[in-house]
Amino acid sequence: MTDKLVILPGDGIGPEIVAEAAKVVGWLKDNADFDIEIEHDLIGGQAYDEYGEPLADSTLEKCRSAKAILMGSVGGPKWDGVEYNKRPEAGLLRIRKELNLFANLRPALVFDALVDASSLKPEIVKGLDILIVRELTGGVYFGEPRGIEDLGNGERRGYNTQVYTTSEIKRIGAVAFDLARKRSNKVTSCEKCNVMESGMLWREDITALHASAYDDVSLEHMLADNCAMQLLRNPSQFDVIVTDNLFGDILSDEAAMLTGSLGMLPSASLSEPGQPGLYEPVHGSAPDIAGQNKANPLATILSLSMALRYSFERGDLADMVEAAVKDVLDSGKRTGDIMSEGCTEVSCSEMGEAVCSALESVQAEKAA
Ligand code: NAD
């Protein structure tokens, strides 16, 4: 059976950026022995308009039978008034939950050509290559009880529950250790064990997992607030950072900013081995530039590259796509968001075409 990729463009700039990643898929199919079936469907506001749901059951079924799903982004002012459980973002939460996407991988990679885009000094971020592994389906965002209650005296009380079990902690820990083995073999595990029992359990369980199955990987524990500081002070000390849903949300956004541009940041959300993975740029639907052919498609193209590496097991093709992106940046082509003096501004579609042309050269160099 042929492997399947489901493409869900979504809202705002989603269709524009995903179209460029689809060009890269087309190039790989035509030129690089990459035989996959592609299906398209809707998610987010577009799906709400068409199906009355931000993620239809039929779309979900298509995704379940795929190796990977490539998504653009969801949301926009058009759907601001839609009821809470039908808003575009609810489609994203549903797909993560239904596909049991418990591991969110967010690389923070600084391309040499973009080193000046970071707000940190070039010598601090040059060559930076960090991978944040965030637990995505547990913790305070899902814990019960939760709610807002009326205390009857003019006061209200809002509450959420931070909760993790040993199996949830070990499952995400194993993902981080396995990935570290393919990188620089170091994991930093972050929690707040000084003030939270769930953090104490997290530290104990990661320590036990390390001792039982991963003692060849270097493990360091760090309080999440210290990690936030160290990311700015000396980010190169990190290889893989593993952390819970809440701290991961914040630390991965902080690490993202070390690279300077939202338009460059890919992500992967993975389940158990063999199950479909979801690949999407970190940024949103950018309604302010939607429909103008101005968006940077590289975060989506790099998300596709993660799909090649983690779901299709084609690390060779992922390396080619990443080399092509590097070559395009080295040649000075930039979309507006990463534009700098002396470079050439290109549109979203021109950037996608430039990556496909660069793939020709990367392949020729490989063959030589
Ligand atoms: P955003 O990421 O869409 O945009 C923030 C800023 O970055 C904007 O100025 C935008 O033009 C720019 N930007 C983002 N991606 C870009 C790209 N590829 N190329 C060039 N510039 C880019 O965040 P926002 O404005 O806070 O949110 C807009 C909508 O997106 C909201 O409805 C929000 O809920 C949704 N959103 C969706 C996701 C997702 O689908 N995973 C993530 C975040 C926000």
Side-chain angles (χ1 to χ4, degrees), residues 63-361:
C63 295
R64 284 192 204 284
S65 64
K67 273 239 148 147
I69 300 123
L70 182 68
M71 205 190 83
S73 47
V74 298
K78 182 178 175 196
W79 300 281
D80 278 351
V82 170
E83 64 186 289
Y84 190 71
N85 63 354
K86 298 227 165 161
R87 70 201 195 285
E89 291 76 6
L92 187 55
L93 293 181
R94 181 166 184 225
I95 199 169
R96 285 179 181 163
K97 185 163 178 281
E98 295 277 354
L99 298 182
N100 191 25
L101 301 171
F102 67 86
N104 184 225
L105 277 50
R106 283 182 46 173
L109 186 70
V110 174
F111 288 91
D112 282 354
L114 295 183
V115 78
D116 290 324
S118 173
S119 50
L120 295 193
K121 294 183 189 128
E123 62 269 28
I124 292 184
V125 291
K126 192 168 183 339
L128 189 74
D129 182 1
I130 302 177
L131 180 64
I132 302 213
V133 178
R134 166 187 169 195
E135 202 290 328
L136 202 60
T137 53
V140 72
Y141 293 168
F142 296 95
E144 297 283 349
R146 60 189 297 161
I148 300 177
E149 66 184 13
D150 203 326
L151 298 179
N153 55 356
E155 281 283 358
R156 293 194 298 161
R157 191 171 80 104
Y159 53 97
N160 293 87
T161 305
Q162 166 79 337
V163 56
Y164 273 106
T165 60
T166 293
S167 55
E168 285 175 314
I169 296 168
K170 289 193 170 175
R171 184 173 69 163
I172 192 74
V175 170
F177 286 124
D178 285 333
L179 288 165
R181 277 181 175 157
K182 296 182 190 147
R183 296 170 45 96
S184 302
N185 220 31
K186 180 179 173 191
V187 169
T188 305
S189 170
C190 296
E191 25 57 20
K192 288 278 289 172
C193 71
N194 53 340
V195 285
M196 295 168 77
E197 283 76 5
S198 56
M200 282 167 59
L201 183 73
W202 183 283
R203 189 172 286 214
E204 286 169 20
D205 286 341
I206 293 283
T207 304
L209 175 69
H210 177 251
S212 67
Y214 293 101
D215 65 356
D216 56 305
V217 181
S218 153
L219 170 66
E220 173 187 40
H221 297 282
M222 193 177 275
L223 296 177
D225 50 340
N226 185 26
C227 182
M229 286 197 288
Q230 295 299 329
L231 275 171
L232 297 183
R233 199 185 66 83
N234 176 20
S236 315
Q237 70 185 284
F238 297 110
D239 177 25
V240 174
I241 296 175
V242 64
T243 189
D244 74 12
N245 205 343
L246 173 63
F247 298 135
D249 193 358
I250 296 163
L251 293 175
S252 60
D253 270 7
E254 184 189 351
M257 279 300 103
L258 301 176
T259 70
S261 172
L262 213 47
M264 293 297 304
L265 296 163
S267 79
S269 300
L270 306 181
S271 180
E272 306 289 351
Q275 298 300 308
L278 175 71
Y279 299 84
E280 55 176 320
V282 164
H283 59 73
S285 58
D288 52 335
I289 55 166
Q292 299 173 34
N293 197 18
K294 275 187 185 167
N296 184 348
L298 293 179
T300 315
I301 291 172
L302 292 168
S303 301
L304 168 69
S305 162
M306 292 184 85
L308 294 168
R309 195 178 297 286
Y310 298 119
S311 285
F312 293 104
E313 283 161 40
R314 291 296 304 267
D316 58 326
L317 301 184
D319 288 346
M320 279 174 65
V321 172
E322 285 160 25
V325 169
K326 180 180 177 301
D327 286 355
V328 170
L329 293 172
D330 286 346
S331 76
K333 292 200 170 78
R334 302 277 191 278
T335 42
D337 59 315
I338 51 172
M339 184 59 192
S340 62
E341 224 182 296
C343 293
T344 311
E345 187 161 342
V346 297
S347 66
C348 179
S349 53
E350 285 167 339
M351 185 57 104
E353 282 146 24
V355 172
C356 290
S357 314
L359 276 166
E360 303 274 352
S361 325

